[in-house]
């Protein structure tokens, strides 16, 4: 019985780690800051947007928009996600709106490094 419980807990932990990886295809954009050639990173703006996301209990993720297939290039973005369904993204968007009223959902895929 104990081994069975450990096995189940291992699967639950693995699923939660996997769910936290940036996969998409739906993202909540909490901040988007012009950086046309990716040389002028908007550190202060990214930090403010990330702090606002964290105040609502969600985990921010930031990178260059060019690393997301489906996003416009030339921006530093602060996002939450990715979400497998639009409904899941909308649920967290409602939770995020008190902290980031301008947040919105965007479809895309994170291509990473």
């Amino acid at each position: 019985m104990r081994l069975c419980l450990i096995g189940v807990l291992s699967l639950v932990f693995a699923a939660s780690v996997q769910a936290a990886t940036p996969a998409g295809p739906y993202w909540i954009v909490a901040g988007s800051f012009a950086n046309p050639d990716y040389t002028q990173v908007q550190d202060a703006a990214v930090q403010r947007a990330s702090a606002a996301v964290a105040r609502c209990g969600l985990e921010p993720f930031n990178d260059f928009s060019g690393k997301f297939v489906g996003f416009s290039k030339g921006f530093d973005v602060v996002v939450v996600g990715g979400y497998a369904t639009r409904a899941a993204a909308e649920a967290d968007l409602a939770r995020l709106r008190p902290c980031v009223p301008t947040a919105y959902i965007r479809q895309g895929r994170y291509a990473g490094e």
Side-chain angles (χ1 to χ4, degrees), residues 4-40:
C4 183
L5 180 59
I6 291 171
V8 169
L9 290 175
S10 296
L11 289 174
V12 169
F13 176 74
S16 68
V17 169
Q18 190 175 37
T21 60
Y26 297 99
W27 299 87
I28 299 171
V29 179
S32 179
F33 313 100
N35 185 2
D37 59 4
Y38 301 125
T39 62
Q40 303 297 317

Side-chain angles (χ1 to χ4, degrees), residues 5-112:
L5 180 59
I6 291 171
V8 169
L9 290 175
S10 296
L11 289 174
V12 169
F13 176 74
S16 68
V17 169
Q18 190 175 37
T21 60
Y26 297 99
W27 299 87
I28 299 171
V29 179
S32 179
F33 313 100
N35 185 2
D37 59 4
Y38 301 125
T39 62
Q40 303 297 317
V41 177
Q42 304 296 317
D43 286 327
V46 167
Q47 288 174 359
R48 280 191 303 274
S50 295
V53 169
R55 275 194 303 277
C56 270
L58 296 170
E59 185 156 343
F61 174 75
N62 68 283
D63 211 334
F64 299 126
S65 60
K67 292 185 178 182
F68 290 83
V69 176
F71 282 30
S72 298
K73 294 183 182 356
F75 296 88
D76 297 327
V77 293
V78 175
V79 298
V80 179
Y83 296 91
T85 66
R86 184 168 184 93
E90 287 172 352
D92 273 356
L93 178 61
R95 186 173 154 198
L96 183 61
R97 279 275 164 82
C99 301
V100 186
T102 58
Y104 60 94
I105 295 172
R106 178 125 184 136
Q107 193 169 355
R109 183 177 48 83
Y110 183 64

